Amino acid sequence: EAGVTQSPRYAVLQEGQAVSFWCDPISGHDTLYWYQQPRDQGPQLLVYFRDEAVIDNSQLPSDRFSAVRPKGTNSTLKIQSAKQGDTATYLCASSHAENSDYTFGSGTRLLVI
Amino acid sequence: TQTVSQSDAHVTVFEGDSVELRCNYSYGGSIYLSWYIQHHGRGLQFLLKYYSGNPVVQGVNGFEAEFSKSDSSFHLRKASVHWSDSAVYFCAVSANNYAQGLTFGLGTRVSVFP
């Protein structure tokens, strides 16, 4: 089966620019997660969906970050006005709500200068 | 809320050596525990998980982990490491419902020398 696909692989921005990350989860996985992983740290959950519904976005900086999953399949994470502190790898993962293992994508590495 | 502590930031071993990576957690309820491996520039790959039953769980590539409720620990072990085991290892916990998202530790970098 195909894995979780993320694009782009890399992004370099100046502060204030916008960027979007795209994730295609494993077919049939109803739950999709976005994590932020700063350099030399563990991933931190930003938001997760079950189908098209946001279940928890409490860790998403709502003033600049947004995430959607309109058809319950692919998802987009957007940063409206990037800051240097957003420099990190953004990981997407998917699972089935009935207790299956998580599958992670390779991530998008963002550098904000 | 649950927390995860990985006390070793970096571990250096030689091929053929055994290795143990420590993970301690804090949470008062039912908990799912898991380990992931991350090679440089890659996403995370699942190694193993524990929720209930036999406290020693077997994972991929010869890894195993042992759950201890009394110590609030879930240490990862491998009897004989290979150079390809060089990576960062993350311990993760999820409360009650595994599909609610994972809380990760800071990770332990393992360097295996020939």
Side-chain angles (χ1 to χ4, degrees):
Chain A
E1 92 188 330
V4 175
T5 304
Q6 291 188 245
S7 65
R9 288 296 308 273
Y10 304 93
V12 181
L13 305 174
Q14 292 186 331
E15 277 198 315
Q17 289 186 308
V19 64
S20 292
F21 310 135
W22 180 79
C23 175
D24 185 6
I26 288 180
S27 177
H29 278 188
D30 56 1
T31 309
L32 184 147
Y33 312 81
W34 283 102
Y35 288 84
Q36 180 191 60
Q37 185 179 18
R39 184 178 177 84
D40 296 330
Q41 294 186 33
Q44 297 154 13
L45 183 66
L46 291 173
V47 59
Y48 78 98
F49 299 84
R50 186 139 305 125
D51 299 318
E52 68 277 6
V54 173
I55 303 301
D56 184 357
N57 62 358
S58 60
Q59 302 305 310
L60 195 67
S62 57
D63 57 333
R64 296 184 300 108
F65 286 64
S66 62
V68 295
R69 193 186 185 201
K71 296 182 180 179
T73 52
N74 301 336
S75 177
T76 303
L77 176 68
K78 183 174 183 178
I79 306 177
Q80 285 282 8
S81 178
K83 298 182 178 180
Q84 288 187 358
D86 299 331
T87 293
T89 297
Y90 290 82
L91 295 167
C92 178
S94 70
S95 72
H96 195 281
E98 292 184 1
N99 205 21
S100 73
D101 299 328
Y102 292 71
T103 301
F104 283 82
S106 296
T108 295
R109 299 178 75 174
L110 173 67
L111 174 62
V112 183
I113 56 177
Chain B
T1 57
Q2 58 272 23
T3 63
V4 183
S5 172
Q6 294 182 247
S7 55
D8 298 313
H10 193 187
V11 172
T12 300
V13 291
F14 291 95
E15 269 199 305
D17 284 352
S18 63
V19 69
E20 180 177 84
L21 307 183
R22 291 190 291 264
C23 173
N24 291 89
Y25 67 91
S26 64
Y27 184 69
S30 299
I31 196 164
Y32 291 81
L33 294 153
S34 51
W35 278 94
Y36 287 80
I37 181 173
Q38 187 176 38
H39 289 99
H40 180 69
R42 308 289 295 276
L44 281 78
Q45 292 177 271
F46 172 80
L47 285 179
L48 45 76
K49 72 178 178 183
Y50 171 84
Y51 175 60
S52 64
N54 189 336
V56 179
V57 292
Q58 305 296 323
V60 299
N61 295 333
F63 286 97
E64 70 173 27
E66 183 168 5
F67 168 72
S68 170
K69 187 174 183 179
S70 60
D71 294 338
S72 298
S73 68
F74 189 55
H75 302 330
L76 180 72
R77 300 189 293 251
K78 187 169 183 178
S80 178
V81 297
H82 186 262
W83 66 266
S84 61
D85 294 325
S86 294
V88 181
Y89 292 77
F90 291 98
C91 181
V93 303
S94 180
N96 297 321
N97 184 332
Y98 190 57
Q100 287 183 348
L102 299 170
T103 298
F104 287 88
L106 292 178
T108 297
R109 180 176 299 278
V110 175
S111 297
V112 181
F113 290 93

